[in-house]
Amino acid sequence: LFTRPLRLKQWYQRRVRVRQTYVKIPSTALQECTHEAFPELMFVLGFFHAVVQERRKYGKIGWNIPYDFNESDLRVCMELMKTYLDKSMEIDGKIPWSSLKYLIGEVMYGGRAIDNYDRRIINTYMDEYMGDFIFDSFQPFFFYKDKEVAYNIPKETHRDKFLEYIEELPLANTPCVFGLHSNAEIGYFTNAAKDMCSYMIELQPQTSSSDGGISREQYIEKVAVDIEEKLPALFELDRIRKQLGEITPTAVVLLQELERFNILISKMKISVATLQRALAGEVGMSAELDEIAKALFNGQIPASWRRLAPDTLKSLGNWIAHFTHRFEQYSGWIEKGEPAVMWLSGLHIPESYLTALVQATCRKNGWPLDKSTLYTTVTTHTKAEDVREKLHSGCYVEGLYLEGASWDVQSACLRKSKPKVLVEELPVLKIIPIEAHRLKLQNTFKTPVYTTSERRNAMGVGLVFEADLSTTDHSSHWVLQGVALMLNAD
């Protein structure tokens, strides 16, 4: 609980990081290379090192996985830069940009990045920070510039002069310096507040009340009874299988989903029933029941239920509403057929449904499965009810949430995030299976779609598919902004 305020100090750490980088450089190091661009490129490298470290502060919108970039990475890259620049002086003096960007971006820093989208961020920084354009005298280069401050490359050759320039940099920096939107700062403090609240909930007394109010046991029993009343009956899989008739790929997905949903319902029914008996003193309170009771008291999802449900960051109340919505979609799918607009968040394994769509289309058209992909486009429908008819191949998808950008419905393209709006719902998305060689896209940004705002972890779990979103800006802008889609809002 008391470590969180210390982390708030990181807000002021960026100038310190750049300064620390240069303090550790020997005073004669910038003169050891004969190439005239070496001092300036060393500053670029130091600035890049500070930026990739500071992105960790902003959580998942900064990096999917927080990497421990350290001084050894920087020192090795400095030696590589010195070696390649010295070699270039022996030939024609031209800076080998391609080699430097590959060794620094792909090998050294990119070698630590095990996530493809994180590696894409590093390569984008390489393209933005390294090239002949940084020495253009007619159009000066800036790492970042606004009305108050300008981050450029000082025209110096000595380490102490660089340190003097660094000391003049402002202490407080906006996320815009790293390519992020200013909303990322709000997200950082919001997550810090959420963490603090969760710690306080864990620290609250777990004993019965003695002030005349409702006791802890009574409250837990009330919550358990309320949940039990909302639990539906198990789906009759044999009857449903006969009712479906021909078993298509999407029907297989439905049956698998229902089987998993039945397991979750059974577990929840047994848990709440046994917990009520334990509270009444009829059976002993096991460790699992005690964990469930604690979770219900704190408004959290019990771990034994979470393991049998799709990934989520929701509180218990929101999760029960999500659970009910899932049951309604499954019931409608059984009674009325495959829905015209699919709510992917309601599926335990949403990627299996998309794979089934591709498989069904390939069977119908005789396409090779390994040479087919998904084409996506955002429609003008803001609600599922606006969709009048089902697609012949593919599907409409609702309930996607956009983070790091906003969507312009009129222009049908990505726009800069609105101030203080961290996440917004995307209009209905159309997904169509297509042969890969026929897919020709222009002015689109390949956007990852994740299950939750936790995005993808070190094991690669969390990514569902990629959506191509139209844009009038260069894709590098959205890469650094950390733009992504989620199936669930927190």
Side-chain angles (χ1 to χ4, degrees), residues 357-378:
L357 287 179
V358 176
Q359 186 178 2
T361 305
C362 289
R363 285 183 183 180
K364 179 181 177 181
N365 299 321
W367 299 342
L369 185 61
D370 60 338
K371 297 185 183 300
S372 301
T373 186
L374 294 173
Y375 165 70
T376 62
T377 181
V378 181

Side-chain angles (χ1 to χ4, degrees), residues 284-304:
M285 181 71 76
S286 65
E288 181 181 349
L289 289 176
D290 186 58
E291 187 276 330
I292 293 173
K294 182 179 178 182
L296 297 186
F297 183 69
N298 293 336
Q300 299 168 344
I301 307 170
S304 57

Side-chain angles (χ1 to χ4, degrees), residues 165-185:
Y165 172 80
I166 293 169
E167 289 296 338
E168 296 175 358
L169 296 177
L171 277 173
N173 300 281
T174 69
C176 302
V177 178
F178 320 120
L180 294 164
H181 192 273
S182 57
N183 285 346
E185 196 75 66

Side-chain angles (χ1 to χ4, degrees), residues 39-84:
E40 292 165 287
L41 288 179
M42 286 284 284
F43 183 83
V44 171
L45 187 58
F47 193 92
F48 165 74
H49 181 72
V51 165
V52 296
Q53 286 184 308
E54 279 301 295
R55 280 188 74 100
R56 289 183 300 186
K57 163 186 170 181
Y58 300 102
K60 294 295 183 175
I61 202 169
W63 298 109
N64 276 350
I65 303 165
Y67 303 103
D68 185 24
F69 299 115
N70 53 47
E71 295 300 325
S72 64
D73 300 320
L74 180 63
R75 286 196 297 270
V76 172
C77 289
M78 288 178 176
E79 289 298 323
L80 285 172
M81 186 172 290
K82 177 180 178 298
T83 301
Y84 272 76

Side-chain angles (χ1 to χ4, degrees), residues 188-208:
Y188 167 70
F189 288 114
T190 300
N191 290 333
K194 285 181 178 178
D195 289 348
M196 190 173 295
C197 288
S198 67
Y199 298 148
M200 294 174 68
I201 289 173
E202 291 295 327
L203 292 172
Q204 71 176 329
Q206 300 292 323
T207 57
S208 300

Side-chain angles (χ1 to χ4, degrees), residues 24-190:
K24 295 178 181 178
I25 298 175
S27 58
T28 59
L30 299 184
Q31 285 75 42
E32 292 178 358
C33 180
T34 57
H35 201 289
E36 61 180 1
F38 181 66
E40 292 165 287
L41 288 179
M42 286 284 284
F43 183 83
V44 171
L45 187 58
F47 193 92
F48 165 74
H49 181 72
V51 165
V52 296
Q53 286 184 308
E54 279 301 295
R55 280 188 74 100
R56 289 183 300 186
K57 163 186 170 181
Y58 300 102
K60 294 295 183 175
I61 202 169
W63 298 109
N64 276 350
I65 303 165
Y67 303 103
D68 185 24
F69 299 115
N70 53 47
E71 295 300 325
S72 64
D73 300 320
L74 180 63
R75 286 196 297 270
V76 172
C77 289
M78 288 178 176
E79 289 298 323
L80 285 172
M81 186 172 290
K82 177 180 178 298
T83 301
Y84 272 76
L85 290 179
D86 284 338
K87 290 290 183 181
S88 70
M89 290 299 293
E90 298 175 4
I91 305 173
D92 55 8
K94 293 183 179 179
I95 300 174
W97 292 115
S98 298
S99 299
L100 289 176
K101 288 197 288 187
Y102 177 79
L103 289 171
I104 297 171
E106 287 284 357
V107 178
M108 293 308 302
Y109 286 85
R112 287 187 180 273
I114 60 177
D115 183 87
N116 291 334
Y117 297 104
D118 288 342
R119 195 176 296 113
R120 183 172 70 168
I121 292 174
I122 294 174
N123 290 331
T124 300
Y125 277 128
M126 288 288 100
D127 293 337
E128 294 291 319
Y129 290 174
M130 290 194 172
D132 290 328
F133 56 85
I134 67 175
F135 304 114
D136 192 340
S137 57
F138 296 100
Q139 188 175 357
F141 170 77
F142 294 94
F143 295 105
Y144 173 74
K145 182 181 180 181
D146 59 18
K147 296 179 181 179
E148 299 178 357
V149 65
Y151 292 86
N152 59 357
I153 305 174
K155 303 296 182 181
E156 305 292 348
T157 58
H158 197 274
R159 186 200 67 169
D160 293 338
K161 294 295 183 180
F162 280 103
L163 285 173
E164 291 177 7
Y165 172 80
I166 293 169
E167 289 296 338
E168 296 175 358
L169 296 177
L171 277 173
N173 300 281
T174 69
C176 302
V177 178
F178 320 120
L180 294 164
H181 192 273
S182 57
N183 285 346
E185 196 75 66
I186 301 174
Y188 167 70
F189 288 114
T190 300

